[in-house]
PDB file of all heavy atoms in Angstrom:
ATOM      1  N   ASP B   4      59.514 156.267  89.137  1.00  0.00           N
ATOM      2  CA  ASP B   4      60.957 156.331  89.356  1.00  0.00           C
ATOM      3  C   ASP B   4      61.531 154.938  89.757  1.00  0.00           C
ATOM      4  O   ASP B   4      62.615 154.592  89.326  1.00  0.00           O
ATOM      5  CB  ASP B   4      61.279 157.365  90.460  1.00  0.00           C
ATOM      6  CG  ASP B   4      61.107 158.788  89.860  1.00  0.00           C
ATOM      7  OD1 ASP B   4      61.055 158.978  88.626  1.00  0.00           O
ATOM      8  OD2 ASP B   4      60.979 159.742  90.723  1.00  0.00           O
ATOM      9  N   LEU B   9      64.509 149.994  88.436  1.00  0.00           N
ATOM     10  CA  LEU B   9      64.523 148.512  88.275  1.00  0.00           C
ATOM     11  C   LEU B   9      64.945 148.075  86.850  1.00  0.00           C
ATOM     12  O   LEU B   9      65.677 147.147  86.669  1.00  0.00           O
ATOM     13  CB  LEU B   9      63.134 147.901  88.655  1.00  0.00           C
ATOM     14  CG  LEU B   9      62.826 147.846  90.087  1.00  0.00           C
ATOM     15  CD1 LEU B   9      61.350 147.583  90.306  1.00  0.00           C
ATOM     16  CD2 LEU B   9      63.673 146.801  90.867  1.00  0.00           C
ATOM     17  N   GLN B  35      39.568 139.464  68.053  1.00  0.00           N
ATOM     18  CA  GLN B  35      38.783 138.304  67.635  1.00  0.00           C
ATOM     19  C   GLN B  35      38.070 138.517  66.297  1.00  0.00           C
ATOM     20  O   GLN B  35      37.674 137.567  65.677  1.00  0.00           O
ATOM     21  CB  GLN B  35      37.677 138.106  68.779  1.00  0.00           C
ATOM     22  CG  GLN B  35      38.122 137.253  69.855  1.00  0.00           C
ATOM     23  CD  GLN B  35      37.268 137.347  71.115  1.00  0.00           C
ATOM     24  OE1 GLN B  35      36.151 137.913  71.010  1.00  0.00           O
ATOM     25  NE2 GLN B  35      37.722 136.832  72.221  1.00  0.00           N
ATOM     26  N   LYS B  46      49.308 130.801  62.202  1.00  0.00           N
ATOM     27  CA  LYS B  46      48.315 130.052  63.028  1.00  0.00           C
ATOM     28  C   LYS B  46      48.618 128.594  63.037  1.00  0.00           C
ATOM     29  O   LYS B  46      48.794 127.982  61.985  1.00  0.00           O
ATOM     30  CB  LYS B  46      46.926 130.280  62.421  1.00  0.00           C
ATOM     31  CG  LYS B  46      45.835 129.940  63.364  1.00  0.00           C
ATOM     32  CD  LYS B  46      44.507 130.495  62.968  1.00  0.00           C
ATOM     33  CE  LYS B  46      43.236 130.197  63.797  1.00  0.00           C
ATOM     34  NZ  LYS B  46      43.459 130.313  65.226  1.00  0.00           N
ATOM     35  N   SER B  47      48.820 127.978  64.230  1.00  0.00           N
ATOM     36  CA  SER B  47      48.963 126.618  64.350  1.00  0.00           C
ATOM     37  C   SER B  47      48.318 126.149  65.656  1.00  0.00           C
ATOM     38  O   SER B  47      47.758 126.998  66.381  1.00  0.00           O
ATOM     39  CB  SER B  47      50.526 126.281  64.372  1.00  0.00           C
ATOM     40  OG  SER B  47      51.011 126.680  65.651  1.00  0.00           O
ATOM     41  N   GLN B  55      53.864 142.580  62.858  1.00  0.00           N
ATOM     42  CA  GLN B  55      53.399 143.949  62.522  1.00  0.00           C
ATOM     43  C   GLN B  55      52.063 144.292  63.048  1.00  0.00           C
ATOM     44  O   GLN B  55      51.190 144.825  62.314  1.00  0.00           O
ATOM     45  CB  GLN B  55      53.527 144.125  60.936  1.00  0.00           C
ATOM     46  CG  GLN B  55      54.827 143.768  60.473  1.00  0.00           C
ATOM     47  CD  GLN B  55      55.008 144.037  58.985  1.00  0.00           C
ATOM     48  OE1 GLN B  55      54.433 145.014  58.446  1.00  0.00           O
ATOM     49  NE2 GLN B  55      55.590 143.178  58.240  1.00  0.00           N
ATOM     50  N   ARG B  73      50.871 155.940  77.765  1.00  0.00           N
ATOM     51  CA  ARG B  73      51.552 157.169  77.317  1.00  0.00           C
ATOM     52  C   ARG B  73      52.408 157.780  78.364  1.00  0.00           C
ATOM     53  O   ARG B  73      53.513 158.266  78.078  1.00  0.00           O
ATOM     54  CB  ARG B  73      50.491 158.122  76.725  1.00  0.00           C
ATOM     55  CG  ARG B  73      49.759 157.690  75.509  1.00  0.00           C
ATOM     56  CD  ARG B  73      49.198 158.791  74.706  1.00  0.00           C
ATOM     57  NE  ARG B  73      48.296 159.613  75.513  1.00  0.00           N
ATOM     58  CZ  ARG B  73      46.990 159.462  75.645  1.00  0.00           C
ATOM     59  NH1 ARG B  73      46.429 158.446  75.044  1.00  0.00           N
ATOM     60  NH2 ARG B  73      46.275 160.250  76.411  1.00  0.00           N
ATOM     61  N   PHE B  85      59.389 156.118  69.838  1.00  0.00           N
ATOM     62  CA  PHE B  85      58.340 155.715  68.950  1.00  0.00           C
ATOM     63  C   PHE B  85      58.363 154.214  68.816  1.00  0.00           C
ATOM     64  O   PHE B  85      59.382 153.559  69.120  1.00  0.00           O
ATOM     65  CB  PHE B  85      58.453 156.315  67.582  1.00  0.00           C
ATOM     66  CG  PHE B  85      59.885 156.363  67.076  1.00  0.00           C
ATOM     67  CD1 PHE B  85      60.380 155.232  66.350  1.00  0.00           C
ATOM     68  CD2 PHE B  85      60.747 157.417  67.256  1.00  0.00           C
ATOM     69  CE1 PHE B  85      61.713 155.153  65.853  1.00  0.00           C
ATOM     70  CE2 PHE B  85      62.056 157.427  66.697  1.00  0.00           C
ATOM     71  CZ  PHE B  85      62.514 156.268  66.027  1.00  0.00           C
ATOM     72  N   VAL B  86      57.287 153.630  68.294  1.00  0.00           N
ATOM     73  CA  VAL B  86      57.150 152.177  68.074  1.00  0.00           C
ATOM     74  C   VAL B  86      58.016 151.782  66.947  1.00  0.00           C
ATOM     75  O   VAL B  86      57.968 152.371  65.859  1.00  0.00           O
ATOM     76  CB  VAL B  86      55.662 151.822  67.814  1.00  0.00           C
ATOM     77  CG1 VAL B  86      55.636 150.300  67.458  1.00  0.00           C
ATOM     78  CG2 VAL B  86      54.759 152.086  68.944  1.00  0.00           C
ATOM     79  N   TYR B  91      51.711 140.226  68.283  1.00  0.00           N
ATOM     80  CA  TYR B  91      50.698 139.614  69.161  1.00  0.00           C
ATOM     81  C   TYR B  91      50.870 138.148  69.230  1.00  0.00           C
ATOM     82  O   TYR B  91      51.083 137.483  68.189  1.00  0.00           O
ATOM     83  CB  TYR B  91      49.306 139.938  68.621  1.00  0.00           C
ATOM     84  CG  TYR B  91      48.201 139.226  69.360  1.00  0.00           C
ATOM     85  CD1 TYR B  91      47.753 139.547  70.572  1.00  0.00           C
ATOM     86  CD2 TYR B  91      47.545 138.118  68.664  1.00  0.00           C
ATOM     87  CE1 TYR B  91      46.758 138.802  71.192  1.00  0.00           C
ATOM     88  CE2 TYR B  91      46.533 137.387  69.251  1.00  0.00           C
ATOM     89  CZ  TYR B  91      46.098 137.776  70.562  1.00  0.00           C
ATOM     90  OH  TYR B  91      45.119 137.083  71.191  1.00  0.00           O
ATOM     91  N   PRO B  95      47.589 129.111  72.973  1.00  0.00           N
ATOM     92  CA  PRO B  95      46.276 128.582  73.393  1.00  0.00           C
ATOM     93  C   PRO B  95      46.404 127.552  74.442  1.00  0.00           C
ATOM     94  O   PRO B  95      47.432 127.119  74.834  1.00  0.00           O
ATOM     95  CB  PRO B  95      45.717 127.960  72.078  1.00  0.00           C
ATOM     96  CG  PRO B  95      46.656 128.376  70.978  1.00  0.00           C
ATOM     97  CD  PRO B  95      47.933 128.747  71.575  1.00  0.00           C
ATOM     98  N   LYS B  97      45.837 124.396  74.667  1.00  0.00           N
ATOM     99  CA  LYS B  97      46.514 123.138  74.489  1.00  0.00           C
ATOM    100  C   LYS B  97      47.991 123.224  74.057  1.00  0.00           C
ATOM    101  O   LYS B  97      48.691 122.328  73.836  1.00  0.00           O
ATOM    102  CB  LYS B  97      45.742 122.398  73.341  1.00  0.00           C
ATOM    103  CG  LYS B  97      44.372 121.871  73.648  1.00  0.00           C
ATOM    104  CD  LYS B  97      43.805 120.962  72.641  1.00  0.00           C
ATOM    105  CE  LYS B  97      42.544 120.264  73.118  1.00  0.00           C
ATOM    106  NZ  LYS B  97      41.420 121.249  73.278  1.00  0.00           N
ATOM    107  N   THR B 126      64.942 137.350  56.074  1.00  0.00           N
ATOM    108  CA  THR B 126      63.706 137.834  55.511  1.00  0.00           C
ATOM    109  C   THR B 126      62.617 136.824  55.769  1.00  0.00           C
ATOM    110  O   THR B 126      62.656 135.621  55.479  1.00  0.00           O
ATOM    111  CB  THR B 126      63.859 137.927  53.989  1.00  0.00           C
ATOM    112  OG1 THR B 126      65.037 138.616  53.676  1.00  0.00           O
ATOM    113  CG2 THR B 126      62.697 138.765  53.391  1.00  0.00           C
ATOM    114  N   THR B 145      61.112 147.374  75.572  1.00  0.00           N
ATOM    115  CA  THR B 145      59.981 146.498  75.181  1.00  0.00           C
ATOM    116  C   THR B 145      58.882 146.592  76.232  1.00  0.00           C
ATOM    117  O   THR B 145      59.147 146.461  77.382  1.00  0.00           O
ATOM    118  CB  THR B 145      60.414 145.030  74.962  1.00  0.00           C
ATOM    119  OG1 THR B 145      61.384 144.992  73.983  1.00  0.00           O
ATOM    120  CG2 THR B 145      59.249 144.182  74.587  1.00  0.00           C
ATOM    121  N   LEU B 150      47.068 140.032  78.326  1.00  0.00           N
ATOM    122  CA  LEU B 150      45.632 140.002  78.303  1.00  0.00           C
ATOM    123  C   LEU B 150      45.045 138.890  79.127  1.00  0.00           C
ATOM    124  O   LEU B 150      43.826 138.715  79.303  1.00  0.00           O
ATOM    125  CB  LEU B 150      45.156 139.805  76.865  1.00  0.00           C
ATOM    126  CG  LEU B 150      45.671 140.725  75.799  1.00  0.00           C
ATOM    127  CD1 LEU B 150      45.078 140.503  74.388  1.00  0.00           C
ATOM    128  CD2 LEU B 150      45.341 142.189  76.165  1.00  0.00           C
ATOM    129  N   THR B 153      49.165 135.459  84.128  1.00  0.00           N
ATOM    130  CA  THR B 153      50.266 134.633  83.750  1.00  0.00           C
ATOM    131  C   THR B 153      51.141 134.361  84.931  1.00  0.00           C
ATOM    132  O   THR B 153      51.607 135.272  85.598  1.00  0.00           O
ATOM    133  CB  THR B 153      51.119 135.328  82.592  1.00  0.00           C
ATOM    134  OG1 THR B 153      50.238 135.817  81.599  1.00  0.00           O
ATOM    135  CG2 THR B 153      51.982 134.335  81.992  1.00  0.00           C
ATOM    136  N   VAL B 162      63.404 135.313  83.529  1.00  0.00           N
ATOM    137  CA  VAL B 162      64.467 136.156  83.067  1.00  0.00           C
ATOM    138  C   VAL B 162      65.700 136.010  84.005  1.00  0.00           C
ATOM    139  O   VAL B 162      65.571 135.482  85.065  1.00  0.00           O
ATOM    140  CB  VAL B 162      64.074 137.680  83.172  1.00  0.00           C
ATOM    141  CG1 VAL B 162      62.836 137.963  82.211  1.00  0.00           C
ATOM    142  CG2 VAL B 162      63.670 138.127  84.572  1.00  0.00           C
ATOM    143  N   ARG B 207      56.932 125.360  79.516  1.00  0.00           N
ATOM    144  CA  ARG B 207      55.704 124.857  78.943  1.00  0.00           C
ATOM    145  C   ARG B 207      54.557 125.199  79.955  1.00  0.00           C
ATOM    146  O   ARG B 207      54.801 125.281  81.172  1.00  0.00           O
ATOM    147  CB  ARG B 207      55.811 123.365  78.754  1.00  0.00           C
ATOM    148  CG  ARG B 207      56.691 123.041  77.624  1.00  0.00           C
ATOM    149  CD  ARG B 207      56.703 121.511  77.253  1.00  0.00           C
ATOM    150  NE  ARG B 207      57.358 121.275  76.022  1.00  0.00           N
ATOM    151  CZ  ARG B 207      58.651 121.076  75.884  1.00  0.00           C
ATOM    152  NH1 ARG B 207      59.433 121.139  77.027  1.00  0.00           N
ATOM    153  NH2 ARG B 207      59.233 120.924  74.706  1.00  0.00           N
ATOM    154  N   THR B 208      53.345 125.310  79.402  1.00  0.00           N
ATOM    155  CA  THR B 208      52.140 125.476  80.242  1.00  0.00           C
ATOM    156  C   THR B 208      51.816 124.135  80.823  1.00  0.00           C
ATOM    157  O   THR B 208      51.764 123.114  80.154  1.00  0.00           O
ATOM    158  CB  THR B 208      50.999 125.979  79.303  1.00  0.00           C
ATOM    159  OG1 THR B 208      51.396 127.198  78.790  1.00  0.00           O
ATOM    160  CG2 THR B 208      49.688 126.191  80.180  1.00  0.00           C
ATOM    161  N   ARG B 212      45.845 126.928  80.764  1.00  0.00           N
ATOM    162  CA  ARG B 212      45.352 128.310  80.617  1.00  0.00           C
ATOM    163  C   ARG B 212      46.021 128.966  79.437  1.00  0.00           C
ATOM    164  O   ARG B 212      47.260 128.801  79.274  1.00  0.00           O
ATOM    165  CB  ARG B 212      45.542 129.090  81.850  1.00  0.00           C
ATOM    166  CG  ARG B 212      44.506 128.711  82.979  1.00  0.00           C
ATOM    167  CD  ARG B 212      44.764 129.506  84.154  1.00  0.00           C
ATOM    168  NE  ARG B 212      46.003 129.440  84.768  1.00  0.00           N
ATOM    169  CZ  ARG B 212      46.773 130.473  85.247  1.00  0.00           C
ATOM    170  NH1 ARG B 212      46.388 131.687  85.062  1.00  0.00           N
ATOM    171  NH2 ARG B 212      47.948 130.183  85.754  1.00  0.00           N
ATOM    172  N   ILE B 219      55.484 145.115  72.280  1.00  0.00           N
ATOM    173  CA  ILE B 219      55.766 146.369  71.423  1.00  0.00           C
ATOM    174  C   ILE B 219      57.177 146.871  71.848  1.00  0.00           C
ATOM    175  O   ILE B 219      57.459 147.006  72.981  1.00  0.00           O
ATOM    176  CB  ILE B 219      54.748 147.433  71.738  1.00  0.00           C
ATOM    177  CG1 ILE B 219      53.297 146.823  71.585  1.00  0.00           C
ATOM    178  CG2 ILE B 219      54.929 148.585  70.824  1.00  0.00           C
ATOM    179  CD1 ILE B 219      52.204 147.810  71.978  1.00  0.00           C
ATOM    180  N   TRP B 232      63.386 152.044  60.044  1.00  0.00           N
ATOM    181  CA  TRP B 232      62.512 151.142  60.850  1.00  0.00           C
ATOM    182  C   TRP B 232      61.307 150.669  59.922  1.00  0.00           C
ATOM    183  O   TRP B 232      60.590 151.616  59.608  1.00  0.00           O
ATOM    184  CB  TRP B 232      62.075 151.643  62.087  1.00  0.00           C
ATOM    185  CG  TRP B 232      63.190 152.191  62.983  1.00  0.00           C
ATOM    186  CD1 TRP B 232      63.552 153.407  63.190  1.00  0.00           C
ATOM    187  CD2 TRP B 232      63.864 151.334  64.064  1.00  0.00           C
ATOM    188  NE1 TRP B 232      64.523 153.466  64.152  1.00  0.00           N
ATOM    189  CE2 TRP B 232      64.727 152.228  64.701  1.00  0.00           C
ATOM    190  CE3 TRP B 232      63.839 150.009  64.296  1.00  0.00           C
ATOM    191  CZ2 TRP B 232      65.562 151.825  65.697  1.00  0.00           C
ATOM    192  CZ3 TRP B 232      64.693 149.572  65.340  1.00  0.00           C
ATOM    193  CH2 TRP B 232      65.578 150.448  65.946  1.00  0.00           C
ATOM    194  N   SER B 233      60.993 149.408  59.714  1.00  0.00           N
ATOM    195  CA  SER B 233      59.924 149.118  58.874  1.00  0.00           C
ATOM    196  C   SER B 233      58.488 149.291  59.539  1.00  0.00           C
ATOM    197  O   SER B 233      57.472 149.435  58.811  1.00  0.00           O
ATOM    198  CB  SER B 233      60.053 147.697  58.371  1.00  0.00           C
ATOM    199  OG  SER B 233      59.939 146.775  59.415  1.00  0.00           O
TER     200      SER B 233
END
Side-chain angles (χ1 to χ4, degrees):
D4 286 344
L9 285 168
Q35 273 163 13
K46 199 165 175 47
S47 70
Q55 303 183 41
R73 290 202 307 270
F85 47 83
V86 173
Y91 168 75
K97 292 191 171 64
T126 312
T145 299
L150 306 184
T153 311
V162 297
R207 291 185 168 85
T208 300
R212 282 182 299 136
I219 309 175
W232 302 97
S233 65

